[in-house]
């Protein structure tokens, strides 16, 4: 029956054989054995193919859809009969499944199940095709979710080996071998007829790199670019013997992390002193007359000066020309958000990122620690949050872990599983504070809260079994009588806290107080707490508790969500903590009911209302931080390429150049540089002008982790884009026109000086070349863009995004050669770039000579 579980019975004994004589008495049914399931999981074939992103028609109710195929190959030689269900990840909502043999049903979130239709059976050695039509478009091979799982009653579930991720031997990056290549651009590159997106093929990359130009020789190597820097006349200063450190007004411990990159223990004086009159985080750095002198507004400014000195030494060596730098940041808030909830990332990775943030003068680390798919921080008194919410496994009851969303490996020791212990978090706080970086913890509420809800339900049932109803109900987050039916954006129907229960607010208070206690233990006060507040799915209408509240107050269900944000914001303010949240949720609140100190992260797109949202919320007097996908969502792919990792709902590509060109001080002007998601030159208007005296406070990069399962992939998605965003948060770009309220901009608008942008890019590219060597030494596995290439008149021409990444090529299976200039070739030519240290390679691309 539809909606009920049916098990895929793979008849392994006597499949495809003639019927045996009927026995005189029924034989006992074979008992399924774990070894049989293990063998099946190890040998079952599984292949996923995206067929068409623009089918002739879509099912009723879908404006956009795509067609795909799952091929299941039943192995030979398997025994005995096993009842099996295949659970697989499919992020897009499934609309229609066509198969003579299989039916599919949704489980939860992106997890779906394949089961046999009544009366159907499978045969060994056969391949069965399941045609799946789903909503939206499937624009990258890397949207596919790995680790499909076989379930059989009474047996331990097993991952189908064919669906496990692999590792590319040249790049070290994750691969998905079960996903077929995407090569048919006509069928797969675009989702709708009006889409003008083109895949970034080698010839198109060549044209882009050529138009942007080669890096200029490095003079001032500092990144982000300082406000003013020069080389005065004078003699060089030799630092090879080491520096002798003296500080005045700044504690040596406050700059110890920055000093770690310098030669010390010598005789060359390095004096660091606090200086009044400089802008916050500002500094003045002088190298000359046999000494180094730093005047700084504060410890952050002194650290920034030392980081700048380290970068200049990386370019020039320890014998420096005289140098004068006068510098301070444009924006006070320059942040990075890392999503640990969807897929966990290690403490070691976070500590590495904190050091890199300090190197490039970023000062806010936003840790996303709680969402539907995971809870990643130990909270005193609520052990279930991490015992259950910190792990995804193949337990269909979810009493020992969460379900394996987003292609999670169900093994408990998988790197996508885990959480930060109290001591881990304390270590992270202290490392960040030593580098003048504030940590902002984030637990999304009231939506995006499934991990917390499931964990607290396990707690509830444990305590009820023990006979302690009061304790069981103390932190329960759902109304058991709630009949509301809703579906979140991520296909959950049970991920929203009930905002009408006293127990919900007790839970929120316990979490806030627990996090604040961890900050106190680290000696780092909690100053900002991010509550999320976004994408609430429309719950509560069928909750008796909420019906009573609505009847008493006259509020609507939508107002209940805003009221939750207002109440929690006020509770935080009473503790001296600033509330932060995502702009869609924060924008629904009544400013009169919000505290004075509010941070809003603007995540609307340039072409989808983000400019009006940013200006409207800045006009409320709130700390307004730009988290706009067009330049700051680093979970988007670098380019429109089916082999690049990243979701594409907000942008088909955010490359380093696009992040570099962003203009935070004139948001509509970005329409001159950034087309809409369909690559059309749509104008960006200013329907809600920024009020006089109001301004954007900050800029933040986001790395959501739905498709990022390895720490190495974190580096790849962040770098080198993060260097570009760091520069835009620090330095006013020469191509940014003055903001004029109400002005609109469309692609190519001459008021944005493209010549100045290209000159700035070439200077930036040169400085990035220096930094890539530094990143290599730090173990940062940044993205290497594949080369641009074309063959003209039988000669190969190639170029790279950054000149510091050499190009290699080969014809056929010949040995790789270093590309030094146009060269005669024939047939297919494969190319790749390499890191400056030669240890890693980019993805390979191929060009062919044409007649």
């Amino acid at each position: 029956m539809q909606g009920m579980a049916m098990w895929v019975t793979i008849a392994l004994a006597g499949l495809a054989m003639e019927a045996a004589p009927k026995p005189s008495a029924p034989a006992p049914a074979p008992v399924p054995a774990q070894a049989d399931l293990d063998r099946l999981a190890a040998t079952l074939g599984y292949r996923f193919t995206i067929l068409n992103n623009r089918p002739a028609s879509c099912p009723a109710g879908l404006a956009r859809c795509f067609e795909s195929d799952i091929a299941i190959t039943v192995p030979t030689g398997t025994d005995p009969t096993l009842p099996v269900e295949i659970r697989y990840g499919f992020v897009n909502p499934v609309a229609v499944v066509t198969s003579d043999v299989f039916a599919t049903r949704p489980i939860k979130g992106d997890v779906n199940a394949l089961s046999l239709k009544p009366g159907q059976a499978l045969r060994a050695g056969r391949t069965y095709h399941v045609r799946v039509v789903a909503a939206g478009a499937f624009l990258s091979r890397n949207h596919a979710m790995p680790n499909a799982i076989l379930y059989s009653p009474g047996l331990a579930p097993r991952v189908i080996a064919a669906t496990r991720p692999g590792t590319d031997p040249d790049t070290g990056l994750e691969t998905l071998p079960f996903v077929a290549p995407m090569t048919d651009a006509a069928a797969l590159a675009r989702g709708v007829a009006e889409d003008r997106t083109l895949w970034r093929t080698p010839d198109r990359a060549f044209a882009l790199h050529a138009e942007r130009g080669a890096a200029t020789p490095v003079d001032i190597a500092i990144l982000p670019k300082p406000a003013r820097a020069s080389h005065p006349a004078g003699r060089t200063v030799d630092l090879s013997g080491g520096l002798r450190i003296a500080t005045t007004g700044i504690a040596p411990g406050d700059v110890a992390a920055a000093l770690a990159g310098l030669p010390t223990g010598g005789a060359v004086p390095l004096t660091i002193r606090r200086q009044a009159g400089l802008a916050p985080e500002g500094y003045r750095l002088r190298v000359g007359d046999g000494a180094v002198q730093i005047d700084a507004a504060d410890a952050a400014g002194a650290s920034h000066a030392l980081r700048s000195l380290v970068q200049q030494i990386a370019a020039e060596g320890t014998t420096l020309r005289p140098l004068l730098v006068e510098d301070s940041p444009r924006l006070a808030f320059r942040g990075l958000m890392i999503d640990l909830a969807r897929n966990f990332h290690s403490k070691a990775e976070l500590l590495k990122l904190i050091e890199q943030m300090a190197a490039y003068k970023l000062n806010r680390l936003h840790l996303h620690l709680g969402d539907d798919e995971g809870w990643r921080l130990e909270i005193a008194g609520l052990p279930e949050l991490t015992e259950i919410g910190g792990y995804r496994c193949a337990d269909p009851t979810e009493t020992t872990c969460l379900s394996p969303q987003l292609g999670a490996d169900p093994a408990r020791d998988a790197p996508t599983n885990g959480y930060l212990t109290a001591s881990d978090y304390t270590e992270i706080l202290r490392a960040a504070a030593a580098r003048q970086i504030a940590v902002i913890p984030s637990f999304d509420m009231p939506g995006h809260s499934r991990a917390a809800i499931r964990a607290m339900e396990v707690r509830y049932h444990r305590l009820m079994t023990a006979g302690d109803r009061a304790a069981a109900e103390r932190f329960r987050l759902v109304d058991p009588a709630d009949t509301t039916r809703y579906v979140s954006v991520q296909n959950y129907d049970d991920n929203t806290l009930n905002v009408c229960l006293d127990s919900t607010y007790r839970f929120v208070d316990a979490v806030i107080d627990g996090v604040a206690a961890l900050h106190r233990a680290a000696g780092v006060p909690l100053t900002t707490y991010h509550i999320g507040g976004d994408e609430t799915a429309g719950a509560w209408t069928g909750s008796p508790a909420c019906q009573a509240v609505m009847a008493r107050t006259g509020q609507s269900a939508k107002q209940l969500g805003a009221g939750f944000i207002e109440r929690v914001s006020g509770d935080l303010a009473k503790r001296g903590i600033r509330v932060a949240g995502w702009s869609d949720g924060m924008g629904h609140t009544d400013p009169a009911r919000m505290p004075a100190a509010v941070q809003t992260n603007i995540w609307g797109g340039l072409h989808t209302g983000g400019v009006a949202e940013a200006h409207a919320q800045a006009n409320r007097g709130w700390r307004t931080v730009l988290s706009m996908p067009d330049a700051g969502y680093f979970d988007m792919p670098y380019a429109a390429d089916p082999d690049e990792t990243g979701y594409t709902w907000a942008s088909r590509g955010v490359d380093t150049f696009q992040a570099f060109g962003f203009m935070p001080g004139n948001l509509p002007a970005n329409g001159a540089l950034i087309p809409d998601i369909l690559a059309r030159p749509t104008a960006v208007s200013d329907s809600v002008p920024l009020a006089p005296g109001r301004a954007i406070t900050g800029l933040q990069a986001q790395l959501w982790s739905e498709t990022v399962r390895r720490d190495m992939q974190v580096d790849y998605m962040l770098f080198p884009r993060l260097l570009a965003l760091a520069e835009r948060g620090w330095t006013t770009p020469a191509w940014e026109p003055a903001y004029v309220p109400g002005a609109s901009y469309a692609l190519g608008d001459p008021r944005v000086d493209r010549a100045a942008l290209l000159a700035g890019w070439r200077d930036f590219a040169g400085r990035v070349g220096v930094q890539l060597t530094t990143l290599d030494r730090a173990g940062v596995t940044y993205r290497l863009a594949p080369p641009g290439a074309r063959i003209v008149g039988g000669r190969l021409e190639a170029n790279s995004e950054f000149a510091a990444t050499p190009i290699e090529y080969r014809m056929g299976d010949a040995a790789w050669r270093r590309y030094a200039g146009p060269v005669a070739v024939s047939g297919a030519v494969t190319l790749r770039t390499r890191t400056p240290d030669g240890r890693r390679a980019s993805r390979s691309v191929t060009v062919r000579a044409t007649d």
Side-chain angles (χ1 to χ4, degrees):
M1 294 174 60
Q2 188 173 7
M4 295 181 65
M6 294 183 183
W7 297 99
V8 178
T9 301
I10 300 183
L12 301 171
L15 281 180
M17 298 176 64
E18 293 184 4
K22 187 174 182 180
S24 57
V31 178
Q34 187 68 53
D36 298 319
L37 184 67
D38 294 350
R39 188 179 309 112
L40 182 60
T43 57
L44 191 69
Y46 192 105
R47 184 74 162 170
F48 177 64
T49 303
I50 303 96
L51 300 172
N52 197 338
N53 275 316
R54 293 179 58 190
S57 63
C58 290
L62 288 185
R64 298 175 62 188
C65 68
F66 66 91
E67 297 174 340
S68 61
D69 178 82
I70 300 173
I72 306 293
T73 300
V74 183
T76 59
T78 45
D79 183 68
T81 299
L82 277 178
V84 177
E85 184 175 77
I86 302 172
R87 295 194 179 183
Y88 64 100
F90 209 95
V91 172
N92 298 67
V94 173
V96 176
V97 172
T98 304
S99 171
D100 293 336
V101 176
F102 285 106
T104 191
R105 63 188 177 91
I107 300 295
K108 191 75 66 176
D110 70 286
V111 178
N112 294 265
L114 284 177
S115 57
L116 278 180
K117 293 180 177 179
Q120 295 295 324
L122 302 179
R123 292 179 176 269
R126 292 276 300 274
T127 296
Y128 298 89
H129 291 274
V130 181
R131 183 69 61 92
V132 180
V133 178
F138 207 103
L139 300 168
S140 166
R141 294 180 67 250
N142 296 297
H143 291 178
M145 292 298 162
N147 297 313
I149 300 174
L150 290 180
Y151 288 79
S152 185
L155 301 180
R158 291 290 185 259
V159 172
I160 298 172
T163 66
R164 287 192 179 277
T167 300
D168 186 293
D170 294 322
T171 67
L173 295 172
E174 180 185 86
T175 62
L176 299 175
F178 68 95
V179 183
M182 295 176 66
T183 57
D184 185 353
L188 300 176
R190 305 169 182 176
V192 291
E194 58 268 31
D195 192 349
R196 303 181 187 180
T197 301
L198 298 172
W199 280 347
R200 188 168 294 185
T201 54
D203 60 316
R204 293 179 184 133
F206 182 91
L208 273 178
H209 298 161
E211 190 262 340
R212 293 169 182 175
T216 54
V218 175
D219 182 28
I220 304 295
I222 300 167
L223 196 158
K225 188 179 182 68
R228 290 172 296 281
S230 62
H231 288 296
R235 302 173 66 178
T236 60
V237 179
D238 184 0
L239 306 181
S240 61
L243 294 157
R244 185 178 73 251
I245 314 299
T247 63
T248 302
I250 291 175
D254 288 343
V255 293
L259 283 168
L262 289 169
T264 57
V268 177
L270 168 56
T271 60
I272 304 170
R273 64 182 184 184
R274 186 182 296 270
Q275 179 67 54
L278 297 175
E281 299 187 75
Y283 67 91
R284 186 181 299 112
L285 168 65
R286 294 187 183 91
V287 178
D289 297 326
V292 178
Q293 181 176 325
I294 292 171
D295 296 328
D298 44 35
S303 294
H304 298 329
L306 292 166
R307 300 286 183 173
S308 294
L309 180 61
V310 168
Q311 290 176 343
Q312 196 62 30
I313 291 172
E316 289 192 45
T318 52
T319 300
L320 291 181
R321 293 173 289 165
L323 177 66
L324 175 61
V325 180
E326 297 175 296
D327 202 10
S328 62
R330 180 189 196 185
L331 298 177
F333 186 115
R334 305 173 307 282
L336 169 63
M337 189 220 76
I338 300 294
D339 173 13
L340 304 187
R342 269 57 179 271
N343 283 304
F344 185 63
H345 299 294
S346 69
K347 179 183 72 173
E349 177 67 13
L350 294 176
L351 293 174
K352 181 173 72 174
L353 289 177
I354 287 169
E355 173 59 21
Q356 296 310 312
M357 289 177 66
Y360 302 108
K361 304 180 176 70
L362 299 173
N363 64 358
R364 299 292 195 285
L365 175 60
H366 175 169
L367 292 179
H368 188 64
L369 298 166
D371 212 295
D372 295 323
E373 295 82 10
W375 184 283
R376 308 299 185 181
L377 180 61
E378 181 180 16
I379 301 295
L382 297 173
E384 290 87 357
L385 284 173
T386 47
E387 291 173 358
I388 306 300
Y391 296 92
R392 299 199 291 265
C393 72
D395 174 8
T397 69
E398 293 190 288
T399 56
T400 60
C401 63
L402 302 178
S403 63
Q405 303 290 330
L406 301 173
D409 185 333
R412 194 165 182 86
D413 60 354
T416 49
N417 276 332
Y419 61 92
L420 299 175
T421 66
S423 61
D424 290 338
Y425 190 65
T426 298
E427 185 177 350
I428 288 165
L429 291 175
R430 288 172 176 163
R435 293 160 177 81
Q436 293 78 46
I437 296 170
V439 174
I440 300 173
S442 170
F443 302 90
D444 218 331
M445 298 175 188
H448 285 279
S449 293
R450 189 171 189 273
I453 291 169
R454 292 305 312 157
M456 291 299 96
E457 283 299 281
V458 170
R459 179 185 186 277
Y460 169 82
H461 289 292
R462 173 177 63 81
L463 291 170
M464 285 295 289
T465 300
D468 191 346
R469 176 178 292 275
E473 294 181 344
R474 181 168 178 75
F475 296 118
R476 200 174 193 192
L477 302 176
V478 296
D479 178 352
D482 191 352
T483 60
T484 309
R485 296 291 177 263
Y486 64 90
V487 179
S488 74
V489 175
Q490 288 79 17
N491 298 313
Y492 296 107
D493 59 3
D494 57 354
N495 76 334
T496 305
L497 308 181
N498 190 299
V499 299
C500 303
L501 301 176
D502 290 341
S503 54
T504 292
Y505 295 97
R506 280 195 294 270
F507 172 81
V508 174
D509 285 343
V511 171
I512 293 170
D513 290 341
V515 174
L518 292 174
H519 279 251
R520 285 193 299 274
V524 182
L526 176 61
T527 58
T528 304
Y529 181 97
H530 204 289
I531 65 170
D534 62 310
E535 294 184 333
T536 299
W540 315 313
T541 55
S543 162
C546 287
Q547 289 170 347
V549 171
M550 289 186 283
R552 184 175 70 252
T553 64
Q555 291 178 299
S556 66
K558 184 176 181 179
Q559 289 171 319
L560 291 177
F564 171 86
I565 295 173
E566 292 162 2
R567 176 171 171 176
V568 175
S569 299
D571 290 343
L572 286 164
K574 292 173 184 175
R575 295 171 168 90
I577 301 168
R578 180 191 296 265
V579 67
W582 298 106
S583 51
D584 58 331
M586 304 303 277
H588 290 143
T589 62
D590 181 348
R593 296 178 179 175
M594 292 291 285
V598 174
Q599 174 184 313
T600 179
N601 287 84
I602 307 297
W603 69 285
L606 284 172
H607 295 279
T608 55
V611 173
E613 190 175 57
H615 289 175
Q617 296 189 20
N619 289 345
R620 294 185 179 189
W622 291 353
R623 175 195 282 172
T624 303
V625 178
L626 301 178
S627 298
M628 303 178 86
D630 312 79
Y633 264 42
F634 291 170
D635 55 309
M636 300 292 119
Y638 277 88
D641 185 317
D643 290 320
E644 282 290 339
T645 295
Y647 274 175
T648 54
W649 63 265
S651 176
R652 292 297 301 277
V654 179
D655 66 4
T656 306
F657 182 85
Q658 184 161 305
F660 176 79
F662 188 68
M663 295 170 279
N666 188 339
L667 292 179
N670 289 289
L673 302 178
I674 301 175
D676 70 12
I677 194 171
L678 301 179
R680 300 174 302 185
T682 307
V684 176
S685 64
D686 188 21
S687 60
V688 180
L690 197 60
R694 300 301 189 190
I696 299 301
T697 312
L699 185 63
Q700 179 171 284
Q702 284 65 227
L703 181 60
W704 301 103
S705 291
E706 289 97 333
T707 63
V708 181
R709 287 174 284 272
R710 301 183 182 183
D711 287 353
M712 186 177 185
Q713 194 75 24
V714 171
D715 291 357
Y716 180 97
M717 300 302 283
L718 288 179
F719 297 93
R721 290 189 283 200
L722 189 61
L723 277 61
L725 182 133
E727 181 134 327
R728 288 289 64 81
W730 187 272
T731 310
T732 302
W735 53 93
E736 179 184 290
Y739 173 68
V740 176
S744 298
Y745 294 78
L747 202 66
D749 192 308
R751 288 173 291 177
V752 174
D753 188 344
R754 188 164 184 84
L757 167 61
L758 293 175
W761 168 258
R762 291 190 287 270
D763 170 69
F764 173 77
R767 289 179 286 124
V768 167
V770 176
Q771 293 309 308
L772 294 184
T773 298
T774 302
L775 292 172
D776 282 339
R777 288 198 297 267
V780 175
T781 53
Y782 54 85
R783 178 188 186 249
L784 284 160
R790 64 183 184 180
I791 298 176
V792 179
R795 295 175 68 79
L796 173 68
E797 299 177 358
N799 55 19
S800 57
E801 182 177 38
F802 299 111
T805 57
I807 299 170
E808 296 178 334
Y809 74 99
R810 66 179 180 183
M811 291 177 281
D813 294 328
W816 289 100
R817 303 179 185 179
R818 178 68 61 90
Y819 176 81
V823 60
V825 295
S826 60
V829 182
T830 304
L831 302 97
R832 66 188 185 185
T833 51
R834 293 202 75 90
T835 54
D837 67 4
R839 295 182 180 180
R840 290 191 299 116
S842 73
R843 286 190 295 108
S844 296
V845 294
T846 301
V847 292
R848 292 175 174 82
T850 56
D851 296 332

